[in-house]
Amino acid sequence: MSYLKPGLPAPVAENDGLDAPYWEGTRRGELMVQRCKSCGTWQWGPEWICHKCLSFDIGWVQVEGRGKIYSWERPWHPVHPALKDQGPYIVVLVELPHAGNIRMLGNLLGDPKQQVRIGAEVEAVFEPHDDAKPPFTLVQWKYR
Amino acid sequence: MTDRTLRGRVAIVGIGETAYYKHGKSPDPEFVLALKAILAAAKDAGIDPRRIDGFASYSNDRNDPSRLAAALGLPELRFSNMQWGGGGGGGAGAVANAAAAVAGGLADCVVVFRSLAQGQFQRFGAAPPGGVATGEAALNAPYGVMSPAQRYAMRAMRFLHENKIGDGAQRAIALASYAHAQKNPRAVMNGKPLTAEAYDASRWIVEPWRLFDCCMENDGAAALIIVPAEQAKDFAKKPAYLLGAALGSEYRNGARGHNAPLYATSSFTTVAPHLYAMAGVKPKDVDVLQSYENFTGGVLMSLVEHGFFKAEEANDFLVPDNLMAPGGKLPLNTSGGNLAECYMHGLELQVEAVRQLRGESTAQVKDPHVSMVIAGPMVTPVSSMILGSVETL
Ligand SMILES: [Zn+2]
């Protein structure tokens, strides 16, 4: 059971492989992000070079799926045919203080009309879409 | 070494527009709209269109300068330029690029234009069809973040939260555009006034934005003609001199997945100081302002970042009276702008800024000398520009 109705575009790794470790990680239930092997800087979204020390030796590490709501929105107007009968839904931008305050986006699980509190603690929930072509797993968020 | 500036080096001497239509309603193909706007601008300037020797546009305009030059029978093409990235944020950047070409001697008569027929092509506010998403889209689309409104609402939401800004601030911006459109017979929303009650009752598109916080989508075209300042007096209409322009965005604004360090901005925090430094004016000198409304929250942040008031003053400053021509403290979007005149991807704002300096606006400010345009906010790169009368040189 997915938060949003099926039929939205399926995420696939870029053809240069940049973000493949992230999408492969979600399939295993692991949240993988970039951390520079040279200087330790956290980096998200993925890029080929460390924005701090300009090292190309940028690694991937698993981080704990928890954070704080940094911002949010509630779309009501459907812009994709798959969401025609969806009704409102919540998107949150979550800051990960234990990973250099990088931010990740997802849906806030639960009542789509619930109040959203900026600063509230949330944890990651892996949402597999095994029947999608190709299969993928999304990282969603719920209040802790 | 000469002073590296565009201040006073070029002028806008011609403005042209097609009729403005609801999206999909243009009787003309997009290329014809572009031609008609360019010819209208040449006529307004009082010149033979074959004097044009360059083109500048933005947001990947589909109407290629070489085709335009061939279609118009131009003796030669000397400048062909596209502002790279940022969509509607490039409107003032295209003017800046054209101005730099003219000031630098690359060309003598450059047209800045934008043409849109969203019936002929994909609408901005609709999700593109297709089964997969990669890169930045992969981090957004599967969560239902696809349209520009959905892409940028969280920037504004964070700003509203950090600065405790109430509903009235965004509403005032919408009401000002609609009120000005009622005086403008060209405006698509002319004859359709908006009340505060109707705004409050309108449906959510994406919180924190209601229907009337969001721009229209339209068909049409607009064009400006830019020439060297020393020739500006030879044209039919009063010239609008470029005092300054700036484009770009702050540190890592384009970091993927909503990871811009200064997330709650309209992207102008570094651009606006460059603009004022070049123009040699201060916010209090600005007589009239056109500020691109993709969404009202973007205008709100643009005004703060351009120094018209502090974020904590937004609730007090952003009331309709302050934004109305001719008497308001900061007359804003005096043609009706993207919300209520036409979404000509913001270039209608540049046209209106020129009109104000000429004294030709339908919501004319009294004797303005400094007329400013802020292009599309929250994207990257963004851009803004300041025009002045001959007295400001
Ligand atoms: Zn590094």
Side-chain angles (χ1 to χ4, degrees), chain A residues 4 8-12 14 23 44-45 51 70-74 76-77 79 89 103 105-107 118 138-140, chain B residues 125 127 131-134 138-139 143-144 150 153-154 157-158 161 203-207 252 256 258-261 263:
Chain A
L4 293 177
L8 288 172
V12 296
E14 291 181 81
W23 291 112
W44 193 252
H51 68 270
Y70 180 81
S71 193
W72 66 282
E73 68 184 31
R74 189 175 356 241
W76 289 72
H77 176 70
V79 300
Y89 55 96
R103 300 183 204 122
L105 184 142
N107 299 118
I118 287 180
L138 295 181
V139 183
Q140 305 286 29
Chain B
V132 299
T134 64
L139 298 174
Y143 302 103
Q150 294 165 348
M154 286 184 289
M157 184 71 91
R158 178 73 194 187
H161 169 81
R203 64 191 170 94
W204 290 112
I205 298 299
V206 44
E207 293 175 54
R252 302 193 72 232
R256 285 178 168 191
H258 303 252
N259 274 265
Y263 186 70

Side-chain angles (χ1 to χ4, degrees), chain B residues 78-127:
Chain B
R78 297 177 65 196
F79 187 66
S80 168
N81 176 266
M82 174 59 66
Q83 167 73 355
W84 198 350
V95 174
N97 296 335
V102 169
L106 288 176
D108 291 328
C109 184
V110 176
V111 167
V112 175
F113 75 97
R114 185 83 178 97
S115 180
L116 272 177
Q118 296 198 62
Q120 186 180 352
F121 298 99
Q122 165 85 32
R123 284 178 63 188
F124 289 116

